[in-house]
Amino acid sequence: MTEIVTVCLVAVVAFIFALTIKQSHPSISLAIIILTSIIILIFLLDYLTQVIDYIRELFESVNINSDYIKILLKCTGICFITEFSCDLCKESGYSSLSAQISLAGKLITLVMAIPLFKDVLSISLSLAGAQ
């Protein structure tokens, strides 16, 4: 519980500070937001590794192909990076760039998941009796 309070306090303090100097120094204001975002992400890396370890353990306990774990984790990473980048672009006022990053993230995630779709389709067809 204290971790989320810490993250929120850091974010609110940075937001207030950035908002205060935004009129006189917009580039410094943006740098504060970006730096704070990076600090929060670094703080959350430990939690991310815990989630990754749990997912890996879960998949291994039910004997699922480790390639599926890699695909899942890569797609999740793409989603997080895309969301982070989109938010920064929107904050900077570049909403069209944000939309392009979002589209790229969706497309790359889809391409990464194609092997998974192929396997699911193959399993479905074999269960249905079609070859």
Side-chain angles (χ1 to χ4, degrees):
M1 179 71 173
T2 58
E3 293 86 1
I4 190 62
V5 171
T6 303
V7 168
C8 291
L9 283 175
V10 168
V12 168
V13 168
F15 169 74
I16 291 170
F17 187 58
L19 191 61
T20 303
I21 65 169
K22 189 172 185 173
Q23 292 294 333
S24 58
H25 302 289
S27 60
I28 294 174
S29 175
L30 179 61
I32 290 169
I33 296 298
I34 291 172
L35 183 63
T36 304
S37 298
I38 291 170
I39 290 169
I40 290 171
L41 283 175
I42 291 170
F43 176 77
L44 295 176
L45 283 178
D46 185 46
Y47 293 98
L48 183 62
T49 57
Q50 290 178 21
V51 170
I52 291 170
D53 290 342
Y54 177 75
I55 290 171
R56 183 174 288 125
E57 184 180 304
L58 182 66
F59 272 61
E60 288 172 357
S61 70
V62 292
N63 200 24
I64 294 179
N65 189 347
S66 65
D67 291 338
Y68 297 154
I69 299 170
K70 291 176 187 172
I71 292 171
L72 174 66
L73 294 177
K74 285 179 182 179
C75 288
T76 303
I78 290 168
C79 291
F80 283 139
I81 292 168
T82 301
E83 185 70 24
F84 180 76
S85 300
C86 286
D87 289 346
L88 284 178
C89 288
K90 285 179 187 174
E91 176 69 26
S92 303
Y94 297 103
S95 58
S96 61
L97 181 59
S98 174
Q100 296 303 313
I101 293 171
S102 179
L103 178 63
K106 291 171 186 173
L107 185 59
I108 292 169
T109 302
L110 181 62
V111 169
M112 293 287 299
I114 286 175
L116 205 72
F117 292 140
K118 284 182 180 179
D119 288 350
V120 169
L121 183 61
S122 174
I123 291 168
S124 299
L125 290 174
S126 68
L127 288 175
Q131 291 291 335

